[in-house]
Amino acid sequence: MADRYLLPRRLDDPELIGLWTIDEFLGLIIPFAWGILAQHILVGIFLAFIVWFALRKAKSGRAATHLLHAAYWYLPGSFLGLKATPPSHCRLLAG
């Protein structure tokens, strides 16, 4: 008798679009779309490959949250919705 319930083999796998995760797919499609709109298709393909490769290397062996942590510390505060970086004594209390 066949089981009535199907359980996925791996619950923690990221959602995929084709062969890529969502962030890798966006890293491919945004430079490619820019290349089409700017009528520089080969430059867009080249940039898409570079962005995909950089994301792949940045995420290798680590979760994507490391990229969010790097964005918090190295990008301007308004990028993630913060008006200013909190002082160091408050960051230690926040965790």
Side-chain angles (χ1 to χ4, degrees), residues 56-92:
R56 195 73 174 195
K57 286 296 181 183
K59 288 180 13 179
S60 64
R62 295 184 243 154
T65 55
H66 287 280
L67 292 176
L68 289 175
H69 291 289
Y72 174 79
W73 288 109
Y74 298 117
L75 292 176
S78 61
F79 184 78
L80 293 175
L82 294 175
K83 294 184 181 183
T85 304
S88 62
H89 67 281
C90 292
R91 284 188 295 226
L92 293 176

Side-chain angles (χ1 to χ4, degrees), residues 28-52:
L28 282 170
I29 201 70
I30 290 172
F32 180 68
W34 171 85
I36 290 174
L37 293 174
Q39 297 181 357
H40 296 288
I41 295 174
L42 293 178
V43 174
I45 291 172
F46 181 70
L47 285 176
F49 178 75
I50 288 175
V51 169
W52 170 76

